[in-house]
Amino acid sequence: MNTVSPDQQALLERYRASHIGVFGMPGLVLSHGEGAYVWDVDGNRYLDLLGGIAVNALGHGHPELVAAVSTQAGAALHVSNFFTTPTQIEAAESLLRIAQAPQGSGVFFANSGSEAVETAIKLSRRTGRTGIVAAGGAFHGRTTGAVSLTHKEAYRAPFEPLLPGVTHVAPGDIDALRAAVGPETAMVLLEPIQGEAGVVPTPPGYLAQAREITREAGALLVLDEIQTGVGRTGAWFAHQLEGVTPDAMTVAKGLGGGVPIGGLVTFGPEVTGLLTAGQHGSTFGGNPLACSAALAVIATIESEGLLEHAVQAGQFLVERVTSLGHPLIAGVRGAGLLRAIRLTEPIAPAVAASCRAHGFIVNPVAPDALRLAPPLIITTDQLATFVDALPAILDAAAEQTPETP
């Protein structure tokens, strides 16, 4: 088992002494990565099954991504939004293409998913309405507007009063959604798969029905693809698996492969025209470095067939984990390479700690669920090493949790 050395512990203490403690104490001090692996400063290697929470789509140090940002860094890092660059234009065009957006659609580049959600909020206000409907269990970010749409009480309560006019409805309940949407509703914001709630997919047909409800009410349907987008589920965007076209969607995480970038994509000229010159902006949004990363990520996913690989590797993981028949495994949910291993006992934090001790990084996203969002380049052989180790990992966690039978 790996242990944290005194040198690494000293670094963690320096972190504690120099940072505002919003993230708590980090688990490790990582020094570098290669492919699907990362190393801590003690030289211990870990299979990264979280991918920076679905950010490192190409893994660590992918040569195409490294070459793109290195070349761009030598050309221009920033030019301000008084100007543009070929890289920014090409990134927007590529994003619209993979979004299958019609003529007249548009992109606003931001720096993060939260900033993309803030943009969606302002877009919805331009309808002349102020009501917003989101789902119970939703996570849309932690900036003040975004946290108003996030459902978890612990994230919201310290900062109330938040944005008015927000209604949360039971997730997956189409009747509840229909009852909540009315003439004052500006936007319905939904995640195709709720990542922070435990990788919980919306029921089949739910998004299509939400599309009908919002269209009838004259409200925008905005989909949060921040975690599910850019190939994570085996499609460029998860809503494409449902055959639904939203009015807008938010993107971030995997788009830059680790370089910070986010964005709002609007579908069609009517929605695109809601925001006009001077109504929104971002100093760093669309900067050529981030856009070069996005172009490299999109091109590499296409050239390496990573959409198809995400489907196949995800299915491999489901079948192998399920076949273990371990009493602490209740099943696997999700799509592509965004998965949660459901546990029969609420011991996910102990299991995640045991995983780390065995050289695997996972996320205890809920008391009874482990989130896996590995790099899209992860191989089935690498996934197999995790599955093969999982029974011993679970047994070790159970031994450390007295209330577990």
Side-chain angles (χ1 to χ4, degrees):
M1 287 190 177
N2 298 328
T3 57
V4 175
S5 70
D7 287 345
Q8 185 169 176
Q9 188 59 47
L11 286 169
L12 290 170
E13 290 299 329
R14 287 170 57 189
Y15 174 94
R16 187 205 302 272
S18 59
H19 287 70
I20 297 174
V22 295
F23 296 111
M25 194 66 155
L28 296 167
V29 182
L30 300 178
S31 60
H32 66 287
E34 180 179 347
Y37 293 101
V38 292
W39 281 260
D40 67 18
V41 292
D42 296 328
N44 298 311
R45 190 184 75 170
Y46 305 85
L47 183 61
D48 185 1
L49 293 164
L50 188 57
I53 314 181
V55 166
N56 299 105
L58 302 184
H60 302 272
H62 193 288
E64 296 298 328
L65 181 55
V66 172
V69 298
S70 298
T71 300
Q72 186 61 54
L77 286 174
H78 181 74
V79 298
S80 91
N81 288 310
F82 289 119
F83 310 99
T84 187
T85 61
T87 308
Q88 183 187 41
I89 296 167
E90 292 168 12
E93 291 172 342
S94 291
L95 189 50
L96 291 173
R97 176 175 58 80
I98 63 175
Q100 301 173 359
Q103 191 71 27
S105 301
V107 176
F108 172 82
F109 281 122
N111 304 293
S112 67
S114 284
E115 196 179 333
V117 171
E118 298 291 338
T119 309
I121 293 170
K122 291 182 71 175
L123 179 85
S124 75
R125 288 292 182 95
R126 292 289 296 147
T127 64
R129 306 177 180 189
T130 57
I132 298 176
V133 178
F139 181 86
H140 297 296
R142 297 175 190 258
T143 53
T144 306
V147 82
S148 302
L149 312 183
T150 294
H151 185 247
K152 191 173 183 178
E153 183 68 11
Y155 295 160
R156 298 165 51 85
F159 309 103
E160 292 175 341
L162 299 174
L163 196 68
V166 177
T167 302
H168 285 99
V169 297
D173 186 335
I174 200 65
D175 291 333
L177 180 64
R178 183 177 288 107
V181 175
E184 297 302 318
T185 304
M187 168 175 73
V188 173
L189 179 63
L190 298 170
E191 300 163 278
I193 298 175
Q194 291 187 330
E196 296 296 320
V199 190
V200 181
T202 56
Y206 179 84
L207 294 181
Q209 290 179 288
R211 175 69 285 182
E212 292 179 5
I213 291 169
T214 50
R215 184 175 288 121
E216 291 171 359
L220 300 180
L221 175 64
V222 182
L223 298 180
D224 183 335
E225 292 268 13
I226 290 168
Q227 189 163 150
T228 52
V230 198
R232 175 55 52 189
T233 65
W236 280 115
F237 300 100
H239 69 266
Q240 294 170 340
L241 297 170
E242 294 283 326
V244 173
T245 300
D247 294 305
M249 70 172 174
T250 55
V251 296
K253 289 193 177 290
L255 182 59
V259 178
I261 186 171
L264 180 75
V265 179
T266 53
F267 289 71
E270 184 176 350
V271 179
T272 301
L274 287 174
L275 285 173
T276 59
Q279 292 184 332
H280 198 48
S282 171
T283 293
F284 297 107
N287 81 77
L289 186 75
C291 288
S292 71
L295 281 170
V297 168
I298 292 171
T300 303
I301 288 175
E302 290 180 319
S303 65
E304 296 189 3
L306 296 181
L307 297 183
E308 297 81 2
H309 177 70
V311 173
Q312 295 164 2
Q315 189 58 36
F316 172 85
L317 180 70
V318 172
E319 293 173 357
R320 287 293 307 275
V321 170
T322 303
S323 69
L324 291 175
H326 195 283
L328 280 173
I329 297 175
V332 184
R333 64 187 172 217
L337 284 173
L338 179 59
R339 297 286 181 174
I341 298 175
R342 296 187 295 115
L343 304 175
T344 56
E345 300 289 339
I347 60 168
V351 176
S354 182
C355 283
R356 189 184 305 166
H358 284 78
F360 303 97
I361 292 177
V362 301
N363 171 232
V365 69
D368 60 351
L370 299 170
R371 175 169 50 179
L372 276 62
L376 302 181
I377 50 92
I378 197 168
T379 67
T380 53
D381 286 345
Q382 290 169 330
L383 289 171
T385 64
F386 168 66
V387 178
D388 291 343
L390 193 52
I393 290 170
L394 292 169
D395 292 343
E399 290 175 3
Q400 297 168 11
T401 311
E403 64 269 25
T404 300

